[in-house]
Structure formats: structure tokens, C-alpha cells
Amino acid sequence: MPVRKPALALTALLLASSPALAQERRPAEPLGIALEGYAYPHPVQYLPLTVEGQDVRMAYMDVKPTGRANGRTVVLLHGKNFFGAYWESTIRALTGAGYRVVVPDQIGFGKSSKPDIHYSFHTLASLTKQLLDSLGVKQAAVVGHSMGGMLATRFTLMYPDTVTKLVLENPIGLEDYREKVPWVSTEDDYKNQLKATEEGTRKYHQTYYVKWKPEYDTWVQVAARQMQSAEYPRLAWVSAATGTMIYEQPVVHEFPFVKPRTLLYLGQEDRTYIGRGRVPAADAATLGQYPQLGKKVAKAIPNATLVELPGVGHIPHFEAPEKFHATLFDFLGK
């Protein structure tokens, strides 16, 4: 049966007049699990390392001051569902104020290698120290967000003489998740990671914020595009393995041993915790209660300053960058 030409013409007209519609129907362009081709705000360099007999490369940005140099360095440590590039506005603020800023992608994240190793905060802290040693950085202020807060705490405990000041921006790990979150094996978590979808990822990211903005979807799109990569199973395994790391390696019990001056900066609407979806409702209501956790942890850390930010969620440097940076500068300058 011949196809009627008017129907073909109408289809072509619709596609031509609505390129956005045609674009929406296309699947996301795959993105390599080392973010190949994804532009960072500053040049990325690589430090060759050997971990458990595997040769790997640790990606990092080492950004010079754009303002009058003050001779001080700040290290920015990213969260689990992010990578160094999301610190762009903080890098700009710090370098403008005269700081040198070092921003690593931890092994297993961002543009760094994704080896099959036993992930531990001790290992990641050690590799971060090797990076600083290679750059000639003997001392630095360390800023950690989310999972990066747990890593920053471990780094400070391991290398107290290296850390001039510690900043914890809405860190996870202010509580011991093992007390209420049911354990899941890395293998089972890996299977769940393989089922991840763009929409599911978006719904989770939306829990980070008080008010969702279109620009936040950038980070969802990166994850969604990586799901299309042929190497995604390897990334899914790393995600599961680092989830096990967070669960099994708490730092909350060691806060009393943190020596440097510490800024605990907390968006008060944050309710982030690991294991969401597998916790009984009664326990879920008691987890991620940052207003209470902040006060408790500020008392546990010997020399801590607690700053509570109402109306802000898990990522203050996105939701309230001016307030976050002003408080950061004030703390670093003292």
C-alpha cells in the first residue's frame, strides 16, 4: 500500500518547525565514566599512582590565585554524587581572594581512574596526601562537602600537622548509620546501581534542595549520560563499593580527636542520609536531622564553630553561595 505523500510532508514539517521536539526524542549522548570530553572549569592534570598493584591516575585542578596571592592553599573535597567541577563558584571566590586552590577528583570519581579496589577513607586520604606532597603543599585548609566531609575528617585525623583549618559543609557521617540503616552487601547494592535511571537520579537529587532550579539538572544529566556508557557497570561497582565504605567506616566517634579549628556549616533543611528506601519509616524519621546533629557534633569537636543556615539544604555552595563564601572567608581569615 503506497504511503500518502501529504502524511510524509506533514511529519517533515512538524519536525522542521519543532527541532526541540525532535531533540527531546533522542537518547542522551553517552559519556565515558572518566568524563572524557566533559569540560572542567580549569585545566585538569593527572597524578600517576599505584593502588593495590593497579596503576591509576588521580585527576585534579591546581588553580593559582587571580587576586593578590596570600601564600595559603585550600583543598576542596567533593561529595559522593559529584566531582571537582561542582566547586566552580567556590574556586572562583577563593582564587579571587588570593588563595591557591587544589581540587582533586578522588580515585573512583570524576575524571580519575575507576579501579576495582577496597575503597577506604584511609586510602583516599593517603592518596590526597600524596597529591599535596607532589605539589609541594605542606599545609592547607581543607574543605569537605557531604562524603567529602567524612574524608576531610579522616584526612585531618591522619595528618593533623598538614591541616591548618577544617571546614565541614553539610557532611554526611554526623551519625553512625549502622545503628539504624540495614546492611546491604556491595554485590546487592551493585545490582541496584545497574537499575538506576535518569528520573530516579533526578528525584534523589531533588531531595538535596529546598527549591529545585533548572541549572541543578546539569548534575543529573552527567549521571544519566554515564549510564549509557559501555563501561557503566564498572562505575556502578565503584558507587556500590564507596557506599559500603561510608556505611562501614564511620568517623563520628572520632570527632573528639579532631585538633584544628573547625567550621561546621550546615543548611538546616538538609535531611540526607545513606540507605534511603531501605529504612523502616519510624527510623527514617530520625535520620539526617541536621539541626540536632550539628549541635551534637559541634560539642564533640574540641574547637568547633557551628553556623546554621535556615532555608538551605544539602549544598549551601549552590543554594546560598554568597553566604557560604562570606562565612568561609571570615573563618579562614581568623
Side-chain angles (χ1 to χ4, degrees), residues 101-276:
V101 184
V102 178
V103 191
D105 281 351
Q106 295 301 318
I107 293 297
F109 297 86
K111 288 183 177 289
S112 291
S113 301
K114 310 294 186 301
D116 181 6
I117 60 173
H118 171 69
Y119 283 87
S120 77
F121 285 119
H122 289 81
T123 297
L124 298 186
S126 173
L127 298 178
T128 301
K129 182 62 162 62
Q130 290 182 55
L131 171 62
L132 295 183
D133 289 345
S134 74
L135 297 175
V137 176
K138 298 183 182 303
Q139 288 189 313
V142 178
V143 180
H145 168 250
S146 194
M147 180 200 76
M150 294 184 74
L151 174 57
T153 302
R154 178 58 60 203
F155 184 92
T156 301
L157 291 167
M158 292 173 66
Y159 309 107
D161 294 337
T162 301
V163 181
T164 57
K165 292 180 180 178
L166 173 64
V167 179
L168 303 176
E169 178 197 1
N170 281 80
I172 59 172
L174 298 182
E175 55 198 321
D176 189 339
Y177 302 116
R178 300 173 302 176
E179 296 175 3
K180 296 180 180 179
V181 179
W183 177 80
V184 63
S185 70
T186 303
E187 289 78 9
D188 285 343
D189 192 17
Y190 166 67
K191 293 175 184 177
N192 288 329
Q193 295 289 338
L194 290 177
K195 299 175 184 177
T197 65
E198 178 179 337
E199 186 55 33
T201 302
R202 181 173 294 106
K203 287 181 178 179
Y204 185 78
H205 275 244
Q206 287 171 345
T207 67
Y208 289 150
Y209 310 97
V210 173
K211 183 179 180 181
W212 178 260
K213 295 181 180 179
E215 57 260 37
Y216 300 154
D217 205 59
T218 297
W219 313 104
V220 176
Q221 291 300 317
V222 171
R225 291 176 61 195
Q226 287 184 308
M227 292 174 197
Q228 307 305 315
S229 168
E231 291 293 315
Y232 178 67
R234 187 148 56 97
L235 181 61
W237 177 262
V238 171
S239 181
T242 51
T244 298
M245 173 184 73
I246 293 169
Y247 182 89
E248 295 184 348
Q249 301 171 32
V251 296
V252 62
H253 308 294
E254 297 171 83
F255 282 134
F257 305 112
V258 172
K259 295 180 179 179
R261 289 188 59 198
T262 301
L263 172 64
L264 186 59
Y265 193 90
L266 301 182
Q268 294 296 284
E269 304 306 315
D270 192 4
R271 297 296 181 270
T272 302
Y273 64 91
I274 67 166
R276 189 181 299 272

Side-chain angles (χ1 to χ4, degrees), residues 48-71:
L49 297 162
T50 301
V51 184
E52 296 182 8
Q54 300 181 53
D55 292 332
V56 299
R57 298 204 304 168
M58 186 177 192
Y60 66 94
M61 292 178 284
D62 181 9
V63 190
K64 296 179 180 180
T66 56
R68 183 176 180 180
N70 59 27

